[in-house]
Amino acid sequence: GAGVSQSPSNKVTEKGKDVELRCDPISGHTALYWYRQSLGQGLEFLIYFQGNSAPDKSGLPSDRFSAERTGGSVSTLTIQRTQQEDSAVYLCASSFTGAMVGTQYFGPGTRLLVL
Amino acid sequence: QQPVQSPQAVILREGEDAVINCSSSKALYSVHWYRQKHGEAPVFLMILLKGGEQKGHEKISASFNEKKQQSSLYLTASQLSYSGTYFCGTEGAGGTSYGKLTFGQGTILTVHP
């Protein structure tokens, strides 16, 4: 079956603009995760969803970041008034899981560049 | 808190062995290991659960010491394909720690012919 897909694959935007990043998880996966990876750095947790609920939003860097998930499937990460420090690769992962974390399958990521 | 990985980088020749360590300051429920090649997404290697046994996959295995909140990844007789950045992800035991992974900063492994 299809893996996790993300769109766009690359996004170049101007400082101050809003951007939306999309994630399509593997069908049937209940958990969905967003991470940010800056150049040469590790994976920074942003938010995760269990179904359509987000039990933990503690990783969102500021109130300019928000995310939603509808129908227990597609998720959108929105960054408002982008700043240059938002430039990074944004990775989405999904997992078939209950209360504990199962195997996470990562998408190819969206490379965001804020000029 | 982010787990600490060591070493930060390691260089090997084909056939040599390596150990990558992951240490946390809090009680853990599980430890996950992923490998990421340059320009690609991380790929799952294995999960170690609290109370579980040492896991293995071909020449890559791992252990989890719950009392010390540490995990180690063992790469035996390394191959060129093992090159990449290895991340451990930890799931804390209790409260809001369940359900999410906190990743270490990564260990860059380079295998030369």
Side-chain angles (χ1 to χ4, degrees):
Chain A
V4 177
S5 61
Q6 292 185 244
S7 61
S9 54
N10 293 281
K11 176 72 177 179
V12 179
T13 190
E14 293 179 349
K15 178 181 173 181
K17 301 279 189 181
D18 298 350
V19 295
E20 282 190 355
L21 312 180
R22 176 187 169 105
C23 173
D24 276 279
I26 293 173
S27 178
H29 280 192
T30 56
L32 186 148
Y33 305 81
W34 283 99
Y35 297 92
R36 180 169 69 176
Q37 187 171 34
S38 300
L39 187 62
Q41 300 298 311
L43 298 161
E44 177 188 3
F45 169 81
L46 297 178
I47 188 172
Y48 89 97
F49 291 90
Q50 191 63 251
N52 292 331
S53 301
D56 190 337
K57 302 179 182 180
S58 63
L60 294 176
S62 72
D63 58 7
R64 296 186 295 104
F65 287 73
S66 63
E68 65 175 12
R69 188 181 186 193
T70 55
S73 182
V74 172
S75 176
T76 302
L77 177 70
T78 301
I79 309 174
Q80 295 178 310
R81 306 181 302 280
T82 52
Q83 303 294 312
Q84 289 181 333
E85 61 263 29
D86 298 335
S87 297
V89 176
Y90 289 82
L91 290 163
C92 172
S94 71
S95 173
F96 181 73
T97 184
M100 58 160 283
V101 180
T103 301
Q104 295 191 9
Y105 297 86
F106 283 82
T110 293
R111 285 159 181 76
L112 175 66
L113 178 61
V114 182
L115 300 176
Chain B
Q1 285 84 353
Q2 183 182 37
V4 177
Q5 289 184 233
S6 62
Q8 291 186 329
V10 58
I11 300 174
L12 301 172
R13 293 213 174 271
E14 262 187 304
E16 292 181 338
D17 303 339
V19 179
I20 299 172
N21 299 301
C22 175
S23 180
S24 175
S25 59
K26 62 180 183 180
L28 300 177
Y29 182 77
S30 67
V31 179
H32 303 230
W33 286 94
Y34 286 79
R35 177 172 62 206
Q36 184 178 31
K37 292 185 179 289
H38 184 68
E40 300 180 6
V43 174
F44 170 78
L45 293 176
M46 63 188 74
I47 296 175
L48 298 105
L49 301 177
K50 182 178 178 180
E53 298 177 353
Q54 181 166 335
K55 289 285 192 74
H57 175 68
E58 295 183 348
K59 295 178 180 177
I60 300 176
S61 62
S63 63
F64 178 23
N65 186 322
E66 302 159 27
K67 291 183 180 178
K68 293 186 177 180
Q69 293 132 216
Q70 293 176 345
S71 177
S72 294
L73 185 71
Y74 306 95
L75 299 106
T76 306
S78 58
Q79 305 169 14
L80 295 176
S81 61
Y82 286 4
S83 292
T85 302
Y86 289 77
F87 293 99
C88 69
T90 57
E91 180 183 13
T96 58
S97 297
Y98 281 126
K100 73 173 188 180
L101 292 181
T102 303
F103 284 93
Q105 80 280 16
T107 295
I108 301 172
L109 179 76
T110 306
V111 182
H112 290 299

